[in-house]
Amino acid sequence: MRYIGRSEEKFLAGEFQAQGLTTAEIRNKNVEKLFRVLFNNCPVGIYIIRDGKFQFVNPQFQRITGYSRDELLGLKNPMRLIHPKDKNMVREMAAGMLRGESLPPYEYRFISKQGEIKWAMEAVASIQNDSKRLFLGTFMEVTGLKQVEKELQDREEHFVIMAENMLDMISRANADGILQY
């Protein structure tokens, strides 16, 4: 990933001044360019919803979902991507975050364009733009993490069953010799 530093910022300002822009216009153009670089190069999926439809989706969001930009922008209902069993939870969590409640990012299943059920971790925020309310979402695929969690849980359950059904005594002590199990 490439970061924009002071020298590039000055270059951008010079580039815009050559076009006859005011300092405020230059500042806005610089902010816009910085936003575009961040939006397009971020390793996290980012989207903006207005009036119940995707308005912007970054390349990472497209990659994670398997849908092209045009397909996502053309969806009439973004909730269509969410697994049916998780839709109510997603609505409740998103509504809480949008009410300003301090909630951790939430996880849910979504269905990719290829029909695969995957896991996502998401956080949303409400943004007021002119007279419209926008929803900014950040979205990470966590399917691999969920698989590892499940494997660890299965192994722990297996270990507990083995330990509880053994005829020999099993014990575990910490470094101070205190029995832990």
Side-chain angles (χ1 to χ4, degrees), residues 43 58-67 72 114 118 141:
N58 76 342
Q60 185 69 352
F61 187 76
Q62 295 168 54
R63 189 192 66 70
I64 293 169
T65 63
Y67 288 92
L72 289 164
Q114 296 75 23
K118 297 182 177 186
E141 183 187 352

Side-chain angles (χ1 to χ4, degrees), residues 27-40:
R27 199 170 300 123
N28 287 341
K29 290 279 188 186
N30 283 341
V31 168
E32 186 178 321
K33 272 201 173 213
L34 291 172
F35 172 77
R36 285 190 192 286
V37 168
L38 175 64
F39 187 78
N40 289 321

Side-chain angles (χ1 to χ4, degrees), residues 89-118:
M89 181 273 300
V90 168
R91 277 189 195 102
E92 290 172 18
M93 293 298 288
M97 289 181 138
L98 296 173
R99 284 191 303 269
E101 295 175 21
S102 179
L103 300 171
Y106 50 94
E107 295 175 352
Y108 64 90
R109 291 167 290 181
F110 71 97
I111 303 168
S112 72
K113 180 179 179 180
Q114 296 75 23
E116 297 173 291
I117 297 174
K118 297 182 177 186

Side-chain angles (χ1 to χ4, degrees), residues 156 159-160 163 169-181:
E156 182 179 0
F159 173 74
V160 168
M169 183 177 146
I170 298 175
S171 63
R172 187 170 113 190
N174 66 14
D176 298 324
I178 299 172
L179 290 178
Q180 293 180 315
Y181 181 83

Side-chain angles (χ1 to χ4, degrees), residues 93-156:
M93 293 298 288
M97 289 181 138
L98 296 173
R99 284 191 303 269
E101 295 175 21
S102 179
L103 300 171
Y106 50 94
E107 295 175 352
Y108 64 90
R109 291 167 290 181
F110 71 97
I111 303 168
S112 72
K113 180 179 179 180
Q114 296 75 23
E116 297 173 291
I117 297 174
K118 297 182 177 186
W119 282 90
M121 179 185 296
E122 179 176 70
V124 295
S126 178
I127 302 168
Q128 194 67 32
N129 184 15
D130 299 325
S131 62
K132 294 280 187 183
R133 186 166 147 174
L134 307 176
F135 302 99
L136 171 67
T138 55
F139 182 92
M140 289 179 16
E141 183 187 352
V142 293
T143 305
L145 178 62
K146 296 299 276 188
Q147 289 169 342
V148 169
E149 283 178 0
K150 175 78 171 108
E151 287 174 20
L152 285 173
Q153 183 181 10
D154 290 348
R155 287 182 183 183
E156 182 179 0

